[in-house]
mmCIF file of all heavy atoms in Angstrom:
data_model
loop_
_atom_site.group_PDB
_atom_site.id
_atom_site.type_symbol
_atom_site.label_atom_id
_atom_site.label_comp_id
_atom_site.label_asym_id
_atom_site.label_seq_id
_atom_site.Cartn_x
_atom_site.Cartn_y
_atom_site.Cartn_z
ATOM 1 N N ASP A 20 -21.546 -6.777 -7.178
ATOM 2 C CA ASP A 20 -21.069 -8.158 -7.183
ATOM 3 C C ASP A 20 -20.083 -8.392 -8.321
ATOM 4 O O ASP A 20 -19.038 -9.034 -8.133
ATOM 5 C CB ASP A 20 -22.260 -9.110 -7.315
ATOM 6 C CG ASP A 20 -21.882 -10.551 -6.981
ATOM 7 O OD1 ASP A 20 -21.261 -10.766 -5.928
ATOM 8 O OD2 ASP A 20 -22.190 -11.448 -7.776
ATOM 9 N N ARG A 39 -15.327 -2.752 -18.971
ATOM 10 C CA ARG A 39 -16.297 -3.732 -18.472
ATOM 11 C C ARG A 39 -17.591 -3.039 -18.025
ATOM 12 O O ARG A 39 -18.190 -3.388 -17.003
ATOM 13 C CB ARG A 39 -15.684 -4.532 -17.315
ATOM 14 C CG ARG A 39 -14.541 -5.461 -17.746
ATOM 15 C CD ARG A 39 -15.030 -6.556 -18.679
ATOM 16 N NE ARG A 39 -13.973 -7.438 -19.145
ATOM 17 C CZ ARG A 39 -13.335 -7.300 -20.299
ATOM 18 N NH1 ARG A 39 -13.661 -6.312 -21.124
ATOM 19 N NH2 ARG A 39 -12.394 -8.143 -20.647
ATOM 20 N N ALA A 113 -10.504 -4.314 38.953
ATOM 21 C CA ALA A 113 -11.681 -5.196 39.020
ATOM 22 C C ALA A 113 -11.257 -6.658 38.970
ATOM 23 O O ALA A 113 -11.836 -7.514 39.674
ATOM 24 C CB ALA A 113 -12.641 -4.870 37.881
ATOM 25 N N ASN A 178 -22.936 9.496 22.431
ATOM 26 C CA ASN A 178 -23.953 10.414 21.915
ATOM 27 C C ASN A 178 -23.735 11.831 22.429
ATOM 28 O O ASN A 178 -23.904 12.807 21.690
ATOM 29 C CB ASN A 178 -25.358 9.923 22.296
ATOM 30 C CG ASN A 178 -25.751 8.666 21.546
ATOM 31 O OD1 ASN A 178 -25.219 8.393 20.471
ATOM 32 N ND2 ASN A 178 -26.663 7.890 22.110
ATOM 33 N N LYS A 192 3.466 26.135 28.443
ATOM 34 C CA LYS A 192 4.010 27.381 28.989
ATOM 35 C C LYS A 192 5.520 27.496 28.822
ATOM 36 O O LYS A 192 6.040 28.560 28.506
ATOM 37 C CB LYS A 192 3.643 27.509 30.474
ATOM 38 C CG LYS A 192 2.145 27.701 30.727
ATOM 39 C CD LYS A 192 1.632 28.980 30.083
ATOM 40 C CE LYS A 192 0.147 29.188 30.353
ATOM 41 N NZ LYS A 192 -0.371 30.389 29.657
ATOM 42 N N PHE A 207 -2.884 28.910 20.884
ATOM 43 C CA PHE A 207 -2.382 28.977 22.260
ATOM 44 C C PHE A 207 -3.522 28.971 23.286
ATOM 45 O O PHE A 207 -3.339 28.522 24.405
ATOM 46 C CB PHE A 207 -1.523 30.223 22.461
ATOM 47 C CG PHE A 207 -0.124 30.079 21.912
ATOM 48 C CD1 PHE A 207 0.751 31.152 21.918
ATOM 49 C CD2 PHE A 207 0.323 28.873 21.390
ATOM 50 C CE1 PHE A 207 2.043 31.022 21.418
ATOM 51 C CE2 PHE A 207 1.609 28.737 20.886
ATOM 52 C CZ PHE A 207 2.467 29.811 20.906
ATOM 53 N N MET A 224 -3.333 21.600 15.018
ATOM 54 C CA MET A 224 -3.230 21.412 16.463
ATOM 55 C C MET A 224 -2.508 20.114 16.810
ATOM 56 O O MET A 224 -1.663 20.082 17.713
ATOM 57 C CB MET A 224 -4.633 21.424 17.096
ATOM 58 C CG MET A 224 -5.251 22.807 17.199
ATOM 59 S SD MET A 224 -6.797 22.794 18.154
ATOM 60 C CE MET A 224 -7.962 22.263 16.913
ATOM 61 N N THR A 238 -13.375 17.510 25.539
ATOM 62 C CA THR A 238 -14.171 17.418 26.767
ATOM 63 C C THR A 238 -15.663 17.591 26.493
ATOM 64 O O THR A 238 -16.065 18.106 25.444
ATOM 65 C CB THR A 238 -13.739 18.494 27.771
ATOM 66 O OG1 THR A 238 -13.901 19.788 27.170
ATOM 67 C CG2 THR A 238 -12.290 18.308 28.183
ATOM 68 N N CYS A 244 -23.612 13.290 31.863
ATOM 69 C CA CYS A 244 -23.425 11.864 31.596
ATOM 70 C C CYS A 244 -23.510 11.055 32.888
ATOM 71 O O CYS A 244 -24.166 10.002 32.945
ATOM 72 C CB CYS A 244 -22.061 11.618 30.946
ATOM 73 S SG CYS A 244 -22.070 11.717 29.160
ATOM 74 N N GLN A 254 -31.200 2.566 41.963
ATOM 75 C CA GLN A 254 -32.649 2.434 42.148
ATOM 76 C C GLN A 254 -33.025 2.878 43.563
ATOM 77 O O GLN A 254 -32.835 2.137 44.523
ATOM 78 C CB GLN A 254 -33.069 0.977 41.930
ATOM 79 C CG GLN A 254 -32.676 0.448 40.548
ATOM 80 C CD GLN A 254 -32.552 -1.074 40.521
ATOM 81 O OE1 GLN A 254 -32.980 -1.753 41.457
ATOM 82 N NE2 GLN A 254 -31.976 -1.592 39.455
ATOM 83 N N TYR A 271 -17.224 6.008 35.243
ATOM 84 C CA TYR A 271 -17.286 7.008 34.174
ATOM 85 C C TYR A 271 -15.969 7.785 34.080
ATOM 86 O O TYR A 271 -15.364 7.876 33.015
ATOM 87 C CB TYR A 271 -18.446 7.973 34.386
ATOM 88 C CG TYR A 271 -18.431 9.092 33.365
ATOM 89 C CD1 TYR A 271 -18.965 8.894 32.097
ATOM 90 C CD2 TYR A 271 -17.828 10.310 33.647
ATOM 91 C CE1 TYR A 271 -18.908 9.891 31.134
ATOM 92 C CE2 TYR A 271 -17.762 11.318 32.691
ATOM 93 C CZ TYR A 271 -18.299 11.099 31.441
ATOM 94 O OH TYR A 271 -18.226 12.077 30.484
ATOM 95 N N PHE A 324 20.378 33.248 -8.440
ATOM 96 C CA PHE A 324 21.134 34.514 -8.380
ATOM 97 C C PHE A 324 22.632 34.237 -8.302
ATOM 98 O O PHE A 324 23.334 34.264 -9.304
ATOM 99 C CB PHE A 324 20.679 35.337 -7.165
ATOM 100 C CG PHE A 324 19.313 35.936 -7.321
ATOM 101 C CD1 PHE A 324 18.273 35.522 -6.506
ATOM 102 C CD2 PHE A 324 19.065 36.910 -8.276
ATOM 103 C CE1 PHE A 324 17.007 36.069 -6.631
ATOM 104 C CE2 PHE A 324 17.801 37.470 -8.409
ATOM 105 C CZ PHE A 324 16.772 37.048 -7.583
ATOM 106 N N PRO A 350 24.830 38.572 -8.041
ATOM 107 C CA PRO A 350 25.885 39.600 -7.985
ATOM 108 C C PRO A 350 26.760 39.667 -9.235
ATOM 109 O O PRO A 350 27.512 40.623 -9.401
ATOM 110 C CB PRO A 350 26.705 39.143 -6.779
ATOM 111 C CG PRO A 350 26.551 37.640 -6.771
ATOM 112 C CD PRO A 350 25.159 37.379 -7.226
ATOM 113 N N ALA A 357 25.101 36.658 -21.010
ATOM 114 C CA ALA A 357 23.994 35.708 -20.904
ATOM 115 C C ALA A 357 23.069 35.814 -22.110
ATOM 116 O O ALA A 357 22.559 34.810 -22.608
ATOM 117 C CB ALA A 357 23.210 35.964 -19.616
ATOM 118 N N LYS A 363 22.539 32.060 -28.858
ATOM 119 C CA LYS A 363 23.302 31.017 -29.536
ATOM 120 C C LYS A 363 22.653 29.649 -29.335
ATOM 121 O O LYS A 363 22.511 28.866 -30.281
ATOM 122 C CB LYS A 363 24.735 31.002 -29.011
ATOM 123 C CG LYS A 363 25.616 29.951 -29.695
ATOM 124 C CD LYS A 363 27.020 29.946 -29.111
ATOM 125 C CE LYS A 363 27.859 28.856 -29.776
ATOM 126 N NZ LYS A 363 29.219 28.753 -29.190
ATOM 127 N N THR A 379 13.306 30.562 -6.806
ATOM 128 C CA THR A 379 14.139 31.750 -6.624
ATOM 129 C C THR A 379 14.574 32.324 -7.974
ATOM 130 O O THR A 379 14.997 31.583 -8.861
ATOM 131 C CB THR A 379 15.392 31.385 -5.804
ATOM 132 O OG1 THR A 379 14.974 30.807 -4.570
ATOM 133 C CG2 THR A 379 16.244 32.608 -5.530
ATOM 134 N N SER A 394 15.621 34.764 -33.822
ATOM 135 C CA SER A 394 15.329 34.783 -35.257
ATOM 136 C C SER A 394 13.998 34.120 -35.576
ATOM 137 O O SER A 394 13.462 34.290 -36.669
ATOM 138 C CB SER A 394 16.449 34.077 -36.032
ATOM 139 O OG SER A 394 16.535 32.711 -35.646
ATOM 140 N N SER A 399 7.737 31.419 -23.987
ATOM 141 C CA SER A 399 8.291 31.065 -22.678
ATOM 142 C C SER A 399 7.155 30.826 -21.689
ATOM 143 O O SER A 399 6.111 31.484 -21.755
ATOM 144 C CB SER A 399 9.228 32.163 -22.163
ATOM 145 O OG SER A 399 8.518 33.366 -21.938
ATOM 146 N N THR A 415 16.489 7.553 -9.582
ATOM 147 C CA THR A 415 15.981 7.640 -10.962
ATOM 148 C C THR A 415 16.791 8.635 -11.786
ATOM 149 O O THR A 415 17.202 8.338 -12.917
ATOM 150 C CB THR A 415 14.504 8.074 -10.957
ATOM 151 O OG1 THR A 415 13.737 7.115 -10.228
ATOM 152 C CG2 THR A 415 13.966 8.191 -12.364
ATOM 153 N N GLN A 458 0.512 16.902 4.537
ATOM 154 C CA GLN A 458 0.677 15.543 4.033
ATOM 155 C C GLN A 458 1.557 14.666 4.919
ATOM 156 O O GLN A 458 1.450 13.447 4.894
ATOM 157 C CB GLN A 458 1.230 15.541 2.602
ATOM 158 C CG GLN A 458 2.585 16.206 2.424
ATOM 159 C CD GLN A 458 2.426 17.618 1.907
ATOM 160 O OE1 GLN A 458 1.517 18.331 2.321
ATOM 161 N NE2 GLN A 458 3.287 18.035 0.995
ATOM 162 N N ASN A 484 2.367 6.305 -24.679
ATOM 163 C CA ASN A 484 3.062 5.928 -25.907
ATOM 164 C C ASN A 484 4.009 4.780 -25.586
ATOM 165 O O ASN A 484 4.986 4.935 -24.859
ATOM 166 C CB ASN A 484 3.846 7.133 -26.451
ATOM 167 C CG ASN A 484 4.472 6.846 -27.808
ATOM 168 O OD1 ASN A 484 4.886 5.730 -28.099
ATOM 169 N ND2 ASN A 484 4.551 7.874 -28.642
ATOM 170 N N GLN A 505 9.827 -2.612 -16.655
ATOM 171 C CA GLN A 505 11.254 -2.755 -16.967
ATOM 172 C C GLN A 505 11.458 -3.733 -18.116
ATOM 173 O O GLN A 505 12.295 -3.510 -19.003
ATOM 174 C CB GLN A 505 12.019 -3.233 -15.729
ATOM 175 C CG GLN A 505 13.522 -3.338 -15.914
ATOM 176 C CD GLN A 505 14.159 -2.008 -16.256
ATOM 177 O OE1 GLN A 505 13.811 -0.973 -15.695
ATOM 178 N NE2 GLN A 505 15.086 -2.020 -17.205
ATOM 179 N N ASN A 506 10.688 -4.818 -18.133
ATOM 180 C CA ASN A 506 10.804 -5.805 -19.216
ATOM 181 C C ASN A 506 10.434 -5.200 -20.567
ATOM 182 O O ASN A 506 11.040 -5.546 -21.594
ATOM 183 C CB ASN A 506 9.921 -7.013 -18.926
ATOM 184 C CG ASN A 506 10.436 -7.840 -17.761
ATOM 185 O OD1 ASN A 506 11.540 -7.607 -17.274
ATOM 186 N ND2 ASN A 506 9.644 -8.795 -17.303
ATOM 187 N N GLY A 515 14.006 -3.243 -30.686
ATOM 188 C CA GLY A 515 13.579 -2.035 -31.393
ATOM 189 C C GLY A 515 12.165 -1.639 -31.009
ATOM 190 O O GLY A 515 11.537 -2.242 -30.141
ATOM 191 N N VAL A 526 6.919 -9.953 -24.746
ATOM 192 C CA VAL A 526 7.690 -9.398 -23.629
ATOM 193 C C VAL A 526 7.739 -10.425 -22.501
ATOM 194 O O VAL A 526 6.730 -11.063 -22.178
ATOM 195 C CB VAL A 526 7.051 -8.083 -23.123
ATOM 196 C CG1 VAL A 526 7.760 -7.598 -21.847
ATOM 197 C CG2 VAL A 526 7.118 -7.017 -24.204
ATOM 198 N N LEU A 684 -5.681 23.802 -10.022
ATOM 199 C CA LEU A 684 -4.250 24.082 -9.983
ATOM 200 C C LEU A 684 -3.760 24.674 -11.298
ATOM 201 O O LEU A 684 -4.175 24.262 -12.389
ATOM 202 C CB LEU A 684 -3.470 22.792 -9.704
ATOM 203 C CG LEU A 684 -3.255 22.411 -8.241
ATOM 204 C CD1 LEU A 684 -2.401 21.165 -8.160
ATOM 205 C CD2 LEU A 684 -2.604 23.533 -7.461
#
Side-chain angles (χ1 to χ4, degrees):
D20 194 49
R39 292 295 178 264
N178 290 337
K192 293 298 181 184
F207 281 175
M224 285 188 278
T238 59
C244 271
Q254 303 156 13
Y271 174 82
F324 288 114
K363 181 182 178 183
T379 304
S394 62
S399 64
T415 300
Q458 60 261 39
N484 186 326
Q505 183 61 41
N506 291 351
V526 173
L684 273 183

